[in-house]
Amino acid sequence: MKAVILCGGVGSRLRPLTEITPKPLIKLLNMPILEMIISRLEEADIRDVYLSLGYKAQDIIDFCERKHFDVDFHYCIEDKPLGTAGGVKKCISKDDDTILVLSGDNIFDIDLHAAQKYHTLSSVDVTVVGVKVKDPREYGVIITDDEQNILSFQEKPTWENAASNLINTGIYFLNGSVLDLIPVDTPYDFSYQLFPKLIKEKRSFMCFQAQGFWGDVGEFETYLTLSSELLHRNGISFPYAGTLYTEDCSDDKGNTIIAPC
């Protein structure tokens, strides 16, 4: 199985951080987001990794080469923004294998093996990994039937109108044949173009309801909230760099460190 990580966005909602650092290299628990994602792929024995790049592409390439990950990288640089599905198409134009798509600004501890098994056994064209959240208002809500076939989506619903709290994580499993539905060298999006096309044409399209933690780094508020949530998990399930303080203490200069830190 091949994995494509979408890393091409400018990250305008995280400025000024992204004026210097591309969003996939922004740190959580002192660890770049991209490093967290690649560690999940290594755990799942996925070694064939494509990076869809645009903004500050060379910074991301330099980081990957410097870290010496246990994966084989393929770098695909967009001359113009191609959208989420268009970026995947540029990386892998045609394939008979399953393709895993990930977003370069999400972190998770979802079991990718279980999700892949579900996709394979279901024999569907596309599987969207979903998780249940407390507040669905900032996400795309997935609407399914009782057998988990995807019927439609709600984009950032109000509390009153939200059909459920099952949201789209941006983690997708695609059969290679689905690539034929994505135009070449053309801006094309999963949520706004490809997925409605799958529903309209009644293609096999299902949701895998995953267990585990998932978080999105979209803007400052979510970045700070996610940082706090990870700290309060005391490093459980996620790698970190440096020293994690789980209890209040003082350093050798008498400074107070307030946990979690």
Side-chain angles (χ1 to χ4, degrees), residues 75-117:
Y75 304 111
C76 310
I77 301 177
E78 299 177 5
D79 297 324
K80 61 181 181 180
L82 293 174
T84 52
V88 173
K89 178 77 170 188
K90 183 174 180 63
C91 289
I92 307 174
S93 60
K94 193 171 185 63
D95 205 288
D96 296 326
D97 200 2
T98 298
I99 299 162
L100 168 62
V101 179
L102 302 163
S103 297
D105 57 0
N106 296 163
I107 63 164
F108 58 91
D109 64 0
I110 292 166
D111 186 341
L112 293 177
H113 278 306
Q116 180 187 6
K117 183 177 180 181

Side-chain angles (χ1 to χ4, degrees), residues 142-157:
I142 305 171
I143 301 171
T144 70
D145 62 17
D146 292 339
E147 296 180 348
Q148 301 307 309
N149 295 297
I150 295 177
L151 304 177
S152 62
F153 293 86
Q154 276 184 307
E155 190 63 32
K156 296 184 178 180

Side-chain angles (χ1 to χ4, degrees), residues 231 243-261:
L231 282 170
T243 302
L244 178 62
Y245 296 91
T246 58
E247 296 181 358
D248 294 353
C249 62
S250 297
D251 65 14
D252 56 6
K253 296 182 179 179
N255 299 306
T256 299
I257 298 172
I258 301 174
C261 179

Side-chain angles (χ1 to χ4, degrees), residues 84-245:
T84 52
V88 173
K89 178 77 170 188
K90 183 174 180 63
C91 289
I92 307 174
S93 60
K94 193 171 185 63
D95 205 288
D96 296 326
D97 200 2
T98 298
I99 299 162
L100 168 62
V101 179
L102 302 163
S103 297
D105 57 0
N106 296 163
I107 63 164
F108 58 91
D109 64 0
I110 292 166
D111 186 341
L112 293 177
H113 278 306
Q116 180 187 6
K117 183 177 180 181
Y118 179 91
H119 174 76
T120 302
L121 292 177
S122 299
S123 299
V124 295
D125 291 320
V126 177
T127 297
V128 174
V129 176
V131 295
K132 290 191 174 182
V133 297
K134 293 179 181 179
D135 185 352
R137 289 178 295 174
E138 291 300 315
Y139 304 106
V141 170
I142 305 171
I143 301 171
T144 70
D145 62 17
D146 292 339
E147 296 180 348
Q148 301 307 309
N149 295 297
I150 295 177
L151 304 177
S152 62
F153 293 86
Q154 276 184 307
E155 190 63 32
K156 296 184 178 180
T158 62
W159 273 117
E160 296 77 14
N161 294 329
S164 77
N165 63 340
L166 179 66
I167 62 103
N168 178 1
T169 63
I171 303 173
Y172 312 132
F173 289 83
L174 317 177
N175 282 352
S177 60
V178 173
L179 294 172
D180 293 336
L181 302 176
I182 303 172
V184 177
D185 200 32
T186 302
Y188 206 73
D189 188 82
F190 280 112
S191 295
Y192 296 111
Q193 290 166 291
L194 180 62
F195 292 167
K197 184 179 182 69
L198 295 175
I199 293 169
K200 182 178 180 180
E201 295 184 358
K202 300 186 184 303
R203 302 285 291 254
S204 51
F205 186 27
M206 297 187 74
C207 173
F208 172 73
Q209 292 195 32
Q211 303 298 314
F213 186 89
W214 175 88
D216 168 67
V217 181
E219 53 193 33
F220 276 114
E221 184 176 349
T222 55
Y223 176 53
L224 294 174
T225 299
L226 186 54
S227 296
S228 177
E229 289 180 4
L230 291 178
L231 282 170
H232 282 87
R233 290 171 66 89
N234 292 336
I236 296 173
S237 298
F238 286 91
Y240 58 89
T243 302
L244 178 62
Y245 296 91

